[in-house]
Amino acid sequence: MSESAEMRVGNVERDRALDVLGDHLRAGRLTPDEYSARSNRVISAATAADLNSVFTDLPGGFRVSPPGPSAAVTSASSGYPEAAPTYPPPSYEHPNRAAQTQPAVQRPSGFDAQRWIPAAGTASLVLFLLCGFLFGGWAWSWIFFLLPGVLATLPGRR
């Protein structure tokens, strides 16, 4: 046996072999029973020769690259090691930093609706009673209680 055939394999190589087997199953080259039997052989594989024997009759084959600083599992169809995905470094920004850099919102001067909200509560009660007693409009007089809420939504100084 050659030196690479006696090389022991780890979980990374077994996982990659299972992925390649899954590709062959999806392509219709393997039946579910064949896939199950070959998957069990891949899981119990201890050497590269054990892994390679699972793929002898499948196109593209499978081989394990020799160990080194960047040992990676390769597919015989491409012959190139798969590159590890690279991700940009995370960027962290303090949540208050955006608030510090943005200019403060300028509110228009003029009518200050917030000052009138307490008075609007009293005014809505008075209007409710006047409308109900003097004009007999109890059915619609509740609408005056919306007055403080309307004033709260108006723009003004805060």
Side-chain angles (χ1 to χ4, degrees):
M1 283 189 176
S2 71
E3 184 179 319
S4 65
E6 294 176 10
M7 181 175 55
R8 297 195 52 90
V9 293
N11 291 336
V12 172
E13 292 86 8
R14 288 186 202 98
D15 289 343
R16 177 66 184 125
L18 287 172
D19 289 343
V20 173
L21 265 183
D23 293 341
H24 288 296
L25 174 68
R26 285 186 286 282
R29 294 184 195 103
L30 296 174
T31 65
D33 292 335
E34 289 174 319
Y35 173 78
S36 178
R38 290 181 191 225
S39 295
N40 288 334
R41 286 177 53 198
V42 166
I43 292 169
S44 63
T47 64
D50 296 338
L51 277 181
N52 292 337
S53 68
V54 175
F55 295 92
T56 55
D57 61 338
L58 294 171
F62 185 83
R63 70 178 178 89
V64 179
S65 67
S70 64
V73 179
T74 61
S75 172
S77 62
S78 69
Y80 296 105
E82 294 180 359
T86 58
Y87 302 103
S91 62
Y92 299 103
E93 187 172 316
H94 193 276
N96 292 335
R97 184 175 188 126
Q100 292 170 356
T101 59
Q102 295 176 354
V105 176
Q106 297 294 325
R107 303 214 181 266
S109 60
F111 177 71
D112 186 11
Q114 297 298 315
R115 281 183 44 194
W116 293 98
I117 290 177
T122 305
S124 61
L125 179 62
V126 169
L127 289 171
F128 170 77
L129 294 173
L130 280 175
C131 187
F133 283 121
L134 296 179
F135 305 115
W138 293 108
W140 293 102
S141 59
W142 61 268
I143 203 144
F144 293 114
F145 289 110
L146 298 178
L147 185 60
V150 170
L151 283 177
T153 62
L154 291 176
R157 292 179 300 212
R158 300 208 180 203

